[in-house]
Amino acid sequence: ISALPAFLLSLVNCQDRGRYDIRSLRTICAGGDAVPVTLQERFLAEFGVSIYEGCGMTEVVPFTLNRPGENRVGSIGRACPGMSIRLVDNDLIDVEDGATGEILVRGDAAMIGYWREPEITSSTIVDGYVRTGDLGRRDADGYYWFMGRKKEIIIRGGSNISPLEVEEVLYRHPNVRECGVVGAPHPELGEVVWAYIALKAGTPTSAEELRAFCADHLAAYKIP
């Protein structure tokens, strides 16, 4: 099956999942949003099925994907056949492996433009590459790692913070069921990190406890 991470999270959190026989389920390709590592670990432990994360968008079919036998959990996989991928800085200059940049994609399965929107098309397609608006990095083995949406980066006092990084930490707390991290306006710092959290039933947890947990895994300026 192909699935969104929210759907997979609902399966893991299903209280009576033991009633159902899903032995026919062999492979899951997931995308549409970041798939937390903790969700992948929990799903494998509960159901014995691996999640293969990939990345695509309406304008381009999946351009990266993990594959059986070469699944690097936490990454969005390597480039799909026929896809050329670049990572660039704000000046559209390619960045080195390990550095974060905007993901640009070119291939026969990419769009040729927006219908009757030449100005938006010209700003989105650069030298034949579609600007995804997603941030990523590439490791030495050619695996890509999703680092968040470019427009969703929180800038606190001049420091860039990825909501995804903070969410990954919160999901590791045993009482957190779901969470979402955003930037909230601040009169002096510009923005601060703000987290919305749904707890698992019967697990009362204070904001102070969650912040203390984050402090063990994040720099002080990234704590919600």
Side-chain angles (χ1 to χ4, degrees), residues 115-126:
W115 177 249
R116 294 180 176 176
E117 293 285 357
E119 293 184 4
I120 300 178
T121 296
S122 63
S123 63
T124 303
I125 300 179
V126 179

Side-chain angles (χ1 to χ4, degrees), residues 49-62:
V49 179
S50 295
I51 296 172
Y52 299 101
E53 188 176 359
C55 192
M57 56 192 296
T58 302
E59 292 86 347
V60 190
V61 300

Side-chain angles (χ1 to χ4, degrees), residues 36-66:
V37 171
T38 49
L39 172 58
Q40 299 188 50
E41 293 171 344
R42 288 179 61 195
F43 202 94
L44 181 61
E46 291 286 348
F47 300 109
V49 179
S50 295
I51 296 172
Y52 299 101
E53 188 176 359
C55 192
M57 56 192 296
T58 302
E59 292 86 347
V60 190
V61 300
F63 48 84
T64 64
L65 187 65
N66 277 286

